Amino acid sequence: MIIGVPKEIKNHEYRVGMVPASVRELTNRGHQVIVETNAGSGIGFTDQDYLDVGAEISQLASDIFARADMIVKVKEPQAVERAMLRHDQILFTYLHLAPDLPQTQELQQSGAVCIAYETVTDARGGLPLLAPMSEVAGRMSIQAGAMALEKSRGGSGMLLGGVPGVEPAKVVIIGGGMVGANAAQMAVGLGADVVVLDRSIDALRRLNVQFGSKVKGVYSTADAIERHVLAADLVIGGVLIPGAAAPKLVSRDLVARMKPGSAIVDVAIDQGGCVETSHATTHQDPTYIVNDVVHYCVANMPGAVARTSTFALNNVTLPYIITLAQQGYRKALLADEHLLNGLNVMHGKITCEEVAESHHLPFVSPVTLLS
């Protein structure tokens, strides 16, 4: 198989779909890998590093899209990239289609086989290809929130952990999954007063075992969200419904009643955000203010720590890349129900129920298409 690795073109996105060590695993198996020039430069890899492991370097992304059987990326393809996709070409990357109708429609028009990292599952019901980026984003959310609270950035001027004689900031984390647990770990480490809201009693029990009395686990209801958000200095939105748009759990009215100078970091923004006043921002211009509340809603947060993120992502995507290359997409998808859950769009049809529901479009069973 010919595998193509284009350079990421989203704003301040320095990650790369495959590091040289991953490429070597494919070339050692007899596959051809084409890497766009400087694709790995943002994390310290030169074209020569890729040449040394058997890759071919291409000067143009268009050449890669024209020749490759499978495109391996990190972020969702931008409009110029979607226009280059071909019928039956495999696209393996993060997609986040539920809040993005234009991308969904253009992927349908391409006829490509689009497999989303974020909806691939495992035997335990987890999301193994989303987990490492959720870990990174969860940890980064506290860093971003701490900066948003600085007075020069529009915040209240609070230090998250306080100092002796001064109370710490109250951090309210909505969602106790991978993002929430990692955010809680960082917030506890900085000495903040931490509350985590979740509807899963099992998740709250896990947090209790991990943090004990350092984290207050609260069952999430509209009343609990209102009460704790209004008292918060920093709110972290870490809600996820796999494949679907994030529910709006913090209303515009609630934001208007929050403490002036408080901050929101909406990690769920990739799936549309869980705060009604959220809209996607970039690393170049990460924050904005609504009703005196600082909003940080960068849609590719892990891109800021691109080297760590790329290696963490490659660790989990590589086995699937190898399987797709060795077996082809039909055999690989039919043989693995968890990889099959990653199939979002194929030959113009939407094969992820949550995406179809989000856009009120027809859903087609992936097994039906593949058979």
Side-chain angles (χ1 to χ4, degrees), residues 67-189:
R67 295 170 57 196
D69 302 304
M70 174 164 60
I71 298 292
V72 177
K73 281 177 44 62
V74 178
K75 288 305 293 176
E76 70 279 359
Q78 303 302 289
V80 66
E81 295 174 310
R82 298 195 291 268
M84 293 188 286
L85 288 168
R86 309 190 321 270
H87 179 81
D88 222 35
Q89 188 174 46
I90 304 167
L91 173 66
F92 195 34
T93 188
Y94 287 116
L95 292 176
H96 300 293
L97 294 180
D100 193 343
L101 180 59
Q103 185 194 177
T104 303
Q105 292 174 325
E106 289 177 24
L107 291 182
Q108 286 182 277
Q109 291 163 13
S110 74
V113 178
C114 307
I115 304 170
Y117 293 159
E118 72 273 9
T119 59
V120 174
T121 56
D122 62 23
R124 298 183 301 278
L127 302 170
L129 306 192
L130 184 63
M133 296 304 95
S134 295
E135 290 170 338
V136 171
R139 295 181 183 210
M140 285 187 67
S141 69
I142 299 302
Q143 296 176 196
M147 293 180 68
L149 286 174
E150 294 176 9
K151 194 67 180 176
S152 62
R153 299 172 189 271
S156 60
M158 287 196 76
L159 183 66
L160 272 187
V163 292
V166 182
E167 290 183 356
K170 177 173 180 175
V171 177
V172 174
I173 302 167
I174 304 175
M178 193 67 72
V179 167
N182 279 273
Q185 181 178 340
M186 296 296 284
V188 166

Side-chain angles (χ1 to χ4, degrees), residues 1 278 346:
M1 183 178 282
S278 292
M346 177 181 168

